[in-house]
Amino acid sequence: MRDTKPNKPLTKSKEMLSGREIIEDFVLLRPGSMDKYQQLCSALNTYELWSEESRTSFLSQFMDSFDILDVNCSELVHKLCKIRWHTVPSKMLPDFVNLLSALAITHVHHISLVFTAFVDHFSPVVDSNGHTNSDASQSTAVGEQFQESLYALAHHSIRNVVSCNPLSNRVLLKCFVKRFPHIKQPTPKLLAFIRNLLHFADWIDDEEIASEIWSLIVEKLLQIEALSSEFQDEQRLSFSSHLADHSKPKFGKKTTDTEGDSMGEKLDALVALVLTFLGDGDSSKLAVIGDEVRTSFLRLMRRFSRRRLSSTAESKDGSETENVESLPVDEGYEEELMATGL
């Protein structure tokens, strides 16, 4: 009778290797692993063109790989961080974001990449053309409810990382500064980002960081105000020249953002957002604001009040107020500011 031996288990072919196995081989510098790793990274370049089933199958390979995705795998981690969350299948989105959090907690080298991914989701989702929803009432390319869930997920993830590594606050602050939308970006994008910054400053247990967040917000508001004021000065100068030479006034191009909103309208919307945040009666929100920032913000609010009075006067009589700064401060509005602690 022929002696039969049990069959040896088949060795997996290279084509059958899982994502984790490819990464393990790459980290251990096994022959042929470099090509497989590069193919893995290159595959993510077309991720958003895949079907939902393909995305799920691909991403699920990495859910337990945070421990081996070290500094040598920075390219792959970078590509994972660049994935827009609304393109991740909804059932695995929490696990995917938890993977990013675990990467930041386990590997200090990846903290900046992961924080950048989180902070980028403080802004609303836009479509491939950079637009929000075609419906003017929508400020995001996805549903408002889903958008709010993305904001909440970003805050929750940041909280997880910061609670495990309090010193990472400084890295996070740099990400806020770096990823703050340009002041000429559409108003809805700035509104969302600043609202999330205010929320972050409200819950973060670090008064120094919260104070610097307020400084950043006030700095951006002052920049927008400066652009708006420059346009107004150009208009006055052009009009004065017209009176002198009796020629047609050559008004400068109106300073607008990428969606056509004037900088003045944008400033008013952002200031209103901040005042709404401060107006809920919780004085603790103001405790972290330093004296210098408080002074700058109060001056900004006074100018905002004067502009509001000027706009009201123009709407009543149709005349243009030549010197807005000479208008009296709205005493009632000053009382509102004082009530908030400013």
Side-chain angles (χ1 to χ4, degrees), residues 35-262:
D35 290 339
K36 286 295 181 183
Y37 174 77
Q38 289 300 328
Q39 290 174 17
L40 204 61
C41 294
S42 298
L44 282 168
N45 292 335
T46 58
Y47 166 82
E48 293 194 7
L49 302 178
W50 304 351
S51 66
E52 181 172 333
E53 182 180 357
S54 297
R55 295 177 190 178
T56 301
S57 176
F58 185 86
L59 293 178
S60 62
Q61 302 178 66
F62 304 101
M63 293 301 103
D64 63 344
S65 301
F66 67 88
D67 56 324
I68 60 174
L69 286 167
D70 59 14
V71 63
N72 297 302
C73 302
S74 294
E75 181 181 358
L76 180 58
V77 172
H78 175 73
K79 289 182 178 293
L80 290 173
C81 288
K82 294 293 288 184
I83 291 177
R84 299 191 295 173
W85 293 356
H86 70 284
T87 67
V88 177
S90 57
K91 291 183 179 180
M92 69 179 312
L93 178 58
D95 290 336
F96 174 73
V97 179
N98 284 338
L99 167 65
L100 299 183
S101 298
L103 285 171
I105 294 170
T106 308
H107 306 285
V108 176
H109 176 79
H110 296 321
I111 285 183
S112 181
L113 284 174
V114 174
F115 273 160
T116 298
F118 293 164
V119 172
D120 281 347
H121 286 88
F122 273 17
S123 297
V125 174
V126 296
D127 60 24
S128 58
N129 296 318
H131 300 138
T132 53
N133 198 296
S134 57
D135 181 357
S137 64
Q138 298 286 331
S139 59
T140 173
V142 296
E144 292 288 347
Q145 185 175 356
F146 181 61
Q147 181 66 75
E148 289 299 323
S149 71
L150 294 181
Y151 293 151
L153 188 57
H155 282 281
H156 175 74
S157 303
I158 290 174
R159 194 191 298 264
N160 282 345
V161 176
V162 170
S163 63
C164 294
N165 184 358
L167 296 179
S168 64
N169 275 344
R170 306 308 305 182
V171 179
L172 179 59
L173 182 61
K174 291 180 180 179
C175 290
F176 284 142
V177 174
K178 183 178 179 180
R179 305 305 293 177
F180 199 107
H182 191 276
I183 58 176
K184 286 194 175 183
Q185 285 292 306
T187 301
K189 185 173 184 177
L190 279 165
L191 282 170
F193 195 87
I194 290 179
R195 180 166 69 91
N196 279 301
L197 280 186
L198 290 170
H199 179 45
F200 169 82
D202 193 33
W203 66 255
I204 190 67
D205 189 21
D206 187 325
E207 290 190 359
E208 183 179 353
I209 295 296
S211 179
E212 294 197 45
I213 291 296
W214 273 99
S215 297
L216 176 62
I217 293 172
V218 172
E219 176 189 347
K220 296 299 181 179
L221 292 178
L222 291 174
Q223 289 177 7
I224 295 173
E225 184 189 42
L227 276 180
S228 177
S229 299
E230 286 176 8
F231 168 71
Q232 292 174 359
D233 290 342
E234 288 178 4
Q235 294 290 66
R236 293 192 186 100
L237 181 60
S238 297
F239 188 72
S240 298
S241 299
H242 163 62
L243 293 178
D245 60 17
H246 303 288
S247 62
K248 286 187 177 181
K250 298 178 181 179
F251 294 124
K253 184 178 180 181
K254 188 175 182 180
T255 305
T256 60
D257 64 17
T258 56
E259 294 291 320
D261 294 336
S262 75

